[in-house]
Amino acid sequence: AQKITQTQPGMFVQEKEAVTLDCTYDTSDPSYGLFWYKQPSSGEMIFLIYQGSYDQQNATEGRYSLNFQKARKSANLVISASQLGDSAMYFCAMREGGSSNSNSGYALNFGKGTSLLVTP
Amino acid sequence: DSGVTQTPKHLITATGQRVTLRCSPRSGDLSVYWYQQSLDQGLQFLIQYYNGEERAKGNILERFSAQQFPDLHSELNLSSLELGDSALYFCASSVGSLPNQPQHFGDGTRLSIL
């Protein structure tokens, strides 16, 4: 079963506007971490932001914030004041802790990604 | 710069051949992960090493193997290559294996099988 779902294959946003990229997850493990990565066309994977399942506050890192709604199992990425350089693929990923993860050693489960294009 | 170094950046070879991909983790990181990114499968976890020992296996084929050396660098060996093995192979590292520790990725090795 898909553990991470990103329902938006592609998104457009105008420069300087805010954009929300959706991510829902599926786990029965009470301990988990949620991550967002950016992959520009050059191919590298850049870590953006992390949210822990026990964190009370939503994570923020500069222009990136994570809208964490635990009951809904969603972890949407919000990019404020978009820039042309934000055009890239964005991946949501989850790392489970505890006994449910005994076979995968806390590896990341990735969604299929959202392609974001920022227009002038 | 993530601090994770992967070589080579590009590799072109033929079916049936064997290749070795190399990864140096960030200084201080003990865990190394290998991932494969392909158009049809997306990003898939292959295998993890922690301080020289295999910790977990994901969707890794029997034709593929890996190891982590005492200096913590890791190598992924791919043998009897098939066209479907063409993909971007990432190495990632983290300090340990806890859920709250982000994995930092190298720039990847793009493998093309002709």
Side-chain angles (χ1 to χ4, degrees), chain A residues 31-35 37 39 41-47 50 52 91 95-98 101-112, chain B residues 2 31 33 35 37 40-45 48 55-58 88 90 94 96-108 110:
Chain A
S31 175
Y32 53 89
L34 296 157
F35 302 81
Y37 286 84
Q39 187 176 36
S41 58
S42 48
E44 68 270 30
M45 292 286 286
I46 303 166
F47 165 67
Y50 159 80
F91 292 94
R95 221 177 166 185
E96 294 167 298
N101 205 49
S102 57
N103 291 326
S104 59
Y106 308 123
L108 289 168
N109 285 293
F110 284 89
K112 293 192 182 300
Chain B
S2 68
S31 264
Y33 301 78
Y35 292 88
Q37 185 179 31
D40 53 343
Q41 297 290 329
L43 272 152
Q44 299 273 318
F45 165 65
Q48 179 205 358
R55 177 61 63 92
K57 271 188 174 180
L88 186 53
F90 284 108
S94 64
S97 293
L98 296 180
N100 66 342
Q101 292 166 341
Q103 294 176 22
H104 297 273
F105 283 68
D107 289 347
R110 189 169 296 278

Side-chain angles (χ1 to χ4, degrees), chain B residues 74-95:
Chain B
S74 177
E75 292 181 356
L76 178 67
N77 300 297
L78 315 177
S79 62
S80 302
L81 287 168
E82 301 175 359
L83 293 176
D85 297 328
S86 295
L88 186 53
Y89 290 84
F90 284 108
C91 167
S93 73
S94 64
V95 171

Side-chain angles (χ1 to χ4, degrees), chain B residues 11-16 19 81-87 111-114:
Chain B
L11 204 46
I12 302 174
T13 189
T15 55
V19 296
L81 287 168
E82 301 175 359
L83 293 176
D85 297 328
S86 295
L111 176 63
S112 299
I113 313 298
L114 302 180

Side-chain angles (χ1 to χ4, degrees), chain B residues 6-99:
Chain B
Q6 286 188 250
T7 56
K9 291 195 183 306
H10 301 277
L11 204 46
I12 302 174
T13 189
T15 55
Q17 296 298 304
R18 173 190 169 92
V19 296
T20 298
L21 313 184
R22 194 177 192 280
C23 169
S24 293
R26 291 192 323 162
S27 177
D29 285 359
L30 299 178
S31 264
V32 169
Y33 301 78
W34 286 96
Y35 292 88
Q36 178 195 57
Q37 185 179 31
S38 61
L39 282 174
D40 53 343
Q41 297 290 329
L43 272 152
Q44 299 273 318
F45 165 65
L46 295 178
I47 196 164
Q48 179 205 358
Y49 282 82
Y50 177 79
N51 203 18
E53 293 189 3
E54 182 184 303
R55 177 61 63 92
K57 271 188 174 180
N59 299 320
I60 189 166
L61 300 171
E62 286 190 10
R63 301 184 284 109
F64 296 0
S65 64
Q67 58 185 127
Q68 187 179 28
F69 295 86
D71 67 351
L72 300 178
H73 92 269
S74 177
E75 292 181 356
L76 178 67
N77 300 297
L78 315 177
S79 62
S80 302
L81 287 168
E82 301 175 359
L83 293 176
D85 297 328
S86 295
L88 186 53
Y89 290 84
F90 284 108
C91 167
S93 73
S94 64
V95 171
S97 293
L98 296 180

